[in-house]
Amino acid sequence: MIPTPNTRAGTATLPSEAGVLIVDDEAVVRSGISKILKGQGFDICTASNGEEAVEILAAKPFAVVFLDVRMPGMDGFALLRHIRANCPRTMVIMITGYPTIESAVECLKHGAVDYLVKPFRVDDLETLLAKAIALTRNGDKQSEEDSSALKGIESIIGSSRAMKEVFLKIRRAAPSDSTVLVSGESGTGKELVARSIHNLSLRAEREFVPVDCSALVESLLESELFGHVKGSFTGAFQTKHGLFELANNGTFFFDEISNLSLNIQAKLLRVIQEREFMKVGSQTRIKLNIRIIVSSNRDLSESILAGTFREDLYYRLSVIPIRLPPLRERAEDIPLLVDHFIEKYSRKCNRQVEGISKQALEMLGAYSWPGNVRELEHAIERIVILEDTGIIQPEHLPAFITQRQSEFSVFSEEMFSLEELEKRYIQFILRRTKGKRQETAKILGINRKTLGLKLRKYNIRLT
């Protein structure tokens, strides 16, 4: 049963020369969607099967097609492939009465913007239509920040076997509301994965709220997450909405969740179990509808053994685990990443860097990249900005890459304790970053507070 349309004005607009095509073998679905969209002034055409739709598409351009998955004769996937091949600017929203993760992945894999589950609400239809129209209007100029589900995974660069497995897991995880644990070393792109899952999910039009658990002070974290009421503590001069409220109906991303205290972990567990929370200083419970994604650069099973992470929370969060490989495990992706970053920063900085020499690329491939993709990106950014060259040569590479063997040769000449090795490695990274604590901490995979403790422990002075 298709619901009666509401009367919200101006939810979306289409170019005058293009309209909406509805393809479904059920007359009630065609008439229901038509009624909703005609009430908002859209030019509507309908087709009861795939063969009829092909004829209509050949005679007239359409901005958006609503397409049923299961139809007699030419099914929805076959027609979707035809539309992608012959009408590349037409956005397709699949309709299904049999939603599964596999069917959702299939829809997205073949180029659909998203899919609509029968029976659906008017709001759901309007949200997906607005999303498709935004793609039609903006085309290739759409910014990275406003990227759609079609660009959800395309923002992650890689063609290695390891990354293809990651892409598959992202597509399978996205349509569900299950919690996802993204693990991997610092700089591997864990937030990109989280954003891709959000952009490919049914919550894509809602808020994506990330919080860096290592950056917030413990005493302020509870107030930041839950909000507080006026007068609940010293300095609470007015009621504040927390991040959970901002993320309601969307996706909440805990970056480096292992940094949360056991106290906050206990409260987060209750939020996940009860799907409600209270502001600090309040007794009123607020209902919460969010999808939670978390990341960690540490092995949480080791944190459990060390007593710093709750085992019950871990099992709640790791329903769908996704491991991001370090760059050294997918070195075959380095040429793609280098090309991407050269193009990105040449455009951003208005420079004319055309590529990289074979020898320089081989040197990048031989380096271990402890800071992973983030470190590689920063290296290319510095070269594009500072070097006056059209082709990046070995002499343009940072000294820590070209001189890495001499820097580390001392390690192979004599044995050291683990503490001595850690001290020397911290000194090495500090030299590379010219003493920048924040950048050093990111490469080491620790927060600034931990770095400060280690600097004092080893009596390392910044010059």
Side-chain angles (χ1 to χ4, degrees):
M1 186 76 177
I2 304 297
T4 303
N6 59 24
T7 56
R8 291 194 310 178
T11 55
T13 57
L14 284 172
S16 58
E17 70 275 14
V20 176
L21 174 63
I22 304 162
V23 187
D24 198 298
D25 61 326
E26 295 184 64
V28 65
V29 175
R30 298 195 303 273
S31 63
I33 297 177
S34 298
K35 188 175 181 181
I36 293 170
L37 300 186
K38 283 181 178 177
Q40 298 178 17
F42 292 117
D43 180 19
I44 308 298
C45 286
T46 64
S48 59
N49 56 63
E51 291 80 5
E52 182 183 355
V54 169
E55 294 182 8
I56 294 174
L57 286 163
K60 179 181 178 181
F62 288 90
V64 180
V65 174
F66 284 93
L67 174 57
D68 190 23
V69 172
R70 296 192 180 187
M71 295 185 295
M74 186 181 197
D75 69 8
F77 290 131
L79 181 54
L80 174 59
R81 289 192 292 271
H82 172 85
I83 294 172
R84 293 271 56 82
N86 297 279
C87 313
R89 291 190 171 275
T90 298
M91 299 299 151
V92 180
I93 298 170
M94 303 300 286
I95 307 172
T96 178
Y98 307 91
T100 64
I101 292 178
E102 289 73 19
S103 65
V105 171
E106 197 71 12
C107 291
L108 298 171
K109 184 172 73 175
H110 286 91
V113 172
D114 219 316
Y115 69 101
L116 192 63
V117 178
K118 294 186 286 189
F120 50 82
R121 299 179 304 173
V122 173
D123 284 350
D124 294 335
L125 185 148
E126 290 177 339
T127 296
L128 292 184
L129 179 62
K131 175 181 179 179
I133 291 171
L135 285 172
T136 301
R137 187 186 304 118
N138 295 336
D140 295 335
K141 295 181 180 179
Q142 188 174 17
S143 68
E144 185 176 333
E145 290 74 20
D146 293 328
S147 63
S148 68
L150 289 175
K151 295 186 178 181
I153 288 180
E154 291 175 13
S155 62
I156 306 174
I157 307 299
S159 62
S160 61
R161 180 176 180 179
M163 289 308 295
K164 286 179 180 178
E165 291 179 2
V166 170
F167 297 151
L168 178 60
K169 289 180 179 179
I170 290 173
R171 288 197 179 278
R172 289 188 177 276
S176 75
D177 259 351
S178 300
T179 54
V180 179
L181 169 59
V182 186
S183 60
E185 296 177 7
S186 292
T188 49
K190 295 187 290 296
E191 184 170 339
L192 274 180
V193 169
R195 288 185 180 275
S196 295
I197 293 171
H198 171 75
N199 289 337
L200 289 170
S201 76
L202 297 178
R203 299 176 183 266
E205 296 301 317
R206 304 292 186 174
E207 290 293 326
F208 175 88
V209 178
V211 59
D212 185 350
C213 299
S214 64
L216 291 176
V217 179
E218 168 64 22
S219 59
L220 299 178
L221 184 56
E222 187 173 355
S223 175
E224 288 292 327
L225 292 178
F226 302 107
H228 62 254
V229 297
K230 181 179 179 181
S232 57
F233 55 85
T234 303
F237 300 114
Q238 59 184 9
T239 296
K240 176 183 177 180
H241 297 294
L243 295 174
F244 277 141
E245 280 188 274
L246 295 176
N248 214 356
N249 298 312
T251 302
F252 200 101
F253 175 53
F254 285 96
D255 192 14
E256 306 304 351
I257 196 168
S258 60
N259 289 293
L260 290 183
S261 69
L262 290 172
N263 173 49
I264 298 297
Q265 288 178 37
K267 294 183 177 182
L268 174 59
L269 180 62
R270 285 198 295 273
V271 169
I272 295 174
Q273 290 173 334
E274 300 168 11
R275 293 295 169 178
E276 60 183 20
F277 69 98
M278 292 187 294
K279 285 186 170 74
V280 175
S282 172
Q283 297 300 314
T284 303
R285 296 185 178 276
I286 300 173
K287 291 292 183 182
L288 192 61
N289 174 21
I290 58 172
R291 202 250 181 98
I292 293 177
I293 304 175
V294 305
S295 77
S296 177
N297 61 10
R298 302 176 189 172
D299 187 338
L300 291 183
S301 60
E302 292 183 2
S303 298
I304 292 170
L305 292 174
T308 59
F309 203 84
R310 295 180 62 110
E311 186 173 14
D312 48 3
L313 178 59
Y314 170 76
Y315 289 119
R316 285 280 187 173
L317 296 176
S318 61
V319 176
I320 302 178
I322 297 178
R323 176 186 176 270
L324 266 180
L327 188 53
R328 62 183 174 275
E329 291 183 10
R330 57 179 188 111
E332 61 266 44
D333 288 332
I334 289 177
L336 287 175
L337 289 162
V338 169
D339 287 345
H340 171 72
F341 293 138
I342 288 175
E343 181 183 357
K344 174 181 177 179
Y345 289 105
S346 294
R347 184 174 63 252
K348 184 176 180 180
C349 303
N350 196 25
R351 304 299 295 269
Q352 299 297 319
V353 181
E354 298 173 4
I356 184 170
S357 70
K358 181 179 179 181
Q359 186 179 1
L361 187 60
E362 288 176 350
M363 296 180 75
L364 293 181
Y367 180 62
S368 62
W369 298 108
N372 293 294
V373 178
R374 183 190 294 123
E375 184 183 12
L376 174 61
E377 179 174 4
H378 290 171
I380 299 300
E381 180 183 10
R382 284 194 293 269
I383 293 170
V384 171
I385 293 173
L386 298 177
E387 301 293 342
D388 187 15
T389 181
I391 301 294
I392 297 175
Q393 302 292 345
E395 59 266 24
H396 300 133
L397 301 181
F400 64 80
I401 294 177
T402 57
Q403 299 174 7
R404 70 189 188 287
Q405 291 181 341
S406 61
E407 286 275 2
F408 281 104
S409 62
V410 292
F411 292 157
S412 60
E413 294 172 1
E414 46 183 318
M415 299 294 290
F416 294 101
S417 67
L418 288 176
E419 287 194 346
E420 182 64 22
L421 284 172
E422 183 178 54
K423 175 182 177 180
R424 292 191 178 210
Y425 187 61
I426 292 173
Q427 290 173 322
F428 169 67
I429 299 299
L430 280 168
R431 286 197 296 273
R432 280 177 40 191
T433 62
K434 298 181 180 179
K436 295 177 182 177
R437 291 198 182 197
Q438 186 66 33
E439 188 173 345
T440 298
K442 283 185 177 181
I443 293 174
L444 293 172
I446 58 179
N447 56 45
R448 288 193 60 172
K449 180 180 178 181
T450 302
L451 175 61
L453 292 173
K454 291 184 181 293
L455 294 178
R456 288 194 291 274
K457 174 182 177 181
Y458 297 127
N459 195 29
I460 298 174
R461 298 183 182 276
L462 301 179
T463 55

